[in-house]
Amino acid sequence: MLTNLMYVTVHVTDQDRALKFYTEGLGLEKRVDYPGPEGRFLTVGVAGSPVQILLWSHAQAGGQPVEKRPDAAAGALILESDDLRKDFEVFRRRGVTFDQPEPEDYPFGVRIEAVDPDGNRISLRQQRHRNRADG
């Protein structure tokens, strides 16, 4: 029986550049960094979460916009915030690029998409907190 989600893979062309973006830009923590038989095994994650994001070297992704890469789905990585508008301002000051000028409201909360240096979209979400009137 399956017991846990261990890794989510994001293909990157420069692991050091990706590490800087995900740690210094988005504030994730570096978890694992060691050479492996098939290349450098590098992971980051949200503090306190067991799920790790594997920043996997994939040279074919280089220089191609996310829309032209058959293996890239927009917003395949979704990160949750408890105050997305506040986090958005912090991330923007750190140089993170977004697909829109501001987060937008949607029926279930607030959302915006960040774009990493390789064109991978990272969906940032804040769920709307339900109150008793919502059911």
Side-chain angles (χ1 to χ4, degrees):
M1 176 180 296
L2 299 176
T3 61
N4 189 29
L5 173 62
M6 293 175 56
Y7 303 108
V8 174
T9 301
V10 174
H11 292 129
V12 300
T13 57
D14 181 326
Q15 288 176 305
D16 289 324
R17 180 180 69 181
L19 179 61
K20 183 175 181 177
F21 171 81
Y22 284 93
T23 57
E24 294 177 20
L26 294 180
L28 302 181
E29 61 185 21
K30 180 176 160 182
R31 298 278 181 84
V32 175
D33 187 357
Y34 61 84
E38 297 174 5
R40 181 179 179 192
F41 193 86
L42 175 63
T43 71
V44 296
V46 174
S49 172
V51 178
Q52 297 181 58
I53 301 165
L54 173 59
L55 302 176
W56 189 250
S57 183
H58 186 67
Q60 293 178 346
Q64 296 181 25
V66 70
E67 297 82 15
K68 295 191 182 203
R69 290 184 11 223
D71 64 332
L77 179 61
I78 301 171
L79 301 175
E80 183 177 13
S81 169
D82 59 358
D83 188 343
L84 185 56
R85 293 184 193 285
K86 178 181 173 186
D87 287 342
F88 167 78
E89 292 301 328
V90 171
F91 298 156
R92 188 166 59 174
R93 284 194 302 272
R94 292 178 182 168
V96 174
T97 302
F98 296 92
D99 69 343
Q100 297 178 10
E102 297 287 331
E104 66 179 353
D105 292 316
Y106 71 113
F108 303 102
V110 181
R111 67 180 176 190
I112 195 161
E113 301 237 345
V115 181
D116 81 2
D118 286 293
N120 296 304
R121 292 180 165 304
I122 301 99
S123 296
L124 304 175
R125 302 287 190 260
Q126 177 183 345
Q127 293 187 54
R128 182 172 63 95
H129 296 287
R130 298 181 75 169
N131 60 38
R132 292 176 194 243
D134 292 333

